Amino acid sequence: MTLTTILPTLRASIPDPIDLKRWPAGTRATVSDIVIDGQSASSVAGQRGTPCVFDAGEVFPWAGDHDARGVVIVRVLAVGCVDESMPSYARSELILDAEPGRVAADWHEVRMIHRVSTAKVGVFSLAGREPVVVDLPVDIGVGDLLIAPCAL
């Protein structure tokens, strides 16, 4: 558990921590973005659209000690909410502009970018043939950008 998980309002002033070994070399987290070798992932998504893959291997071809060479950036298309009629183990579902099971991403490291959220973290299911469970701010909504390192 991190400090920003315990006190989510801190996300407005310090970034959520990331496991740098699981991200491409030259990656750093900011309050509202992931920056890879000086390139904002939010800007990359704005220029290329989503879903997209940003291959940092061209920037750091020698980065063999990192698990990922690139990142995948996707957009939330819909949020399905859980109501009282559903079982207690049901999770809210996110529909993305890419099928999570078909994208080779490390979804356990997923982060929301382009917007700062000070909401508490909740458990969501990424919709698809093989749903993936992730932790994201509970105020996530349509249009929000998500980024995850590419899995090997």
Side-chain angles (χ1 to χ4, degrees), residues 24-105:
T27 299
R28 68 181 174 84
T30 70
V31 172
S32 64
D33 209 351
I34 298 290
V35 179
I36 303 167
D37 190 38
Q39 292 195 42
S40 157
S42 295
S43 295
V44 169
Q47 293 167 358
R48 297 182 183 180
T50 62
C52 73
V53 173
F54 175 63
D55 184 3
E58 299 168 11
V59 180
F60 296 105
W62 43 264
D65 60 337
H66 286 255
D67 292 344
R69 283 183 27 148
V71 295
V72 60
I73 306 168
V74 295
R75 187 173 304 276
V76 176
L77 298 179
V79 180
C81 296
V82 177
D83 64 30
E84 297 81 34
S85 67
M86 299 175 102
S88 61
Y89 56 83
R91 295 182 178 92
S92 295
E93 188 173 63
L94 301 178
I95 298 173
L96 308 177
D97 60 358
E99 167 75 38
R102 291 184 175 206
V103 177

Side-chain angles (χ1 to χ4, degrees), residues 3-29:
L3 193 54
T4 54
T5 304
I6 298 167
L7 297 169
T9 55
L10 286 178
R11 275 194 238 113
S13 57
I14 61 172
D16 270 333
I18 61 173
D19 182 353
L20 290 174
K21 179 146 176 38
R22 295 172 80 175
W23 290 81
T27 299
R28 68 181 174 84

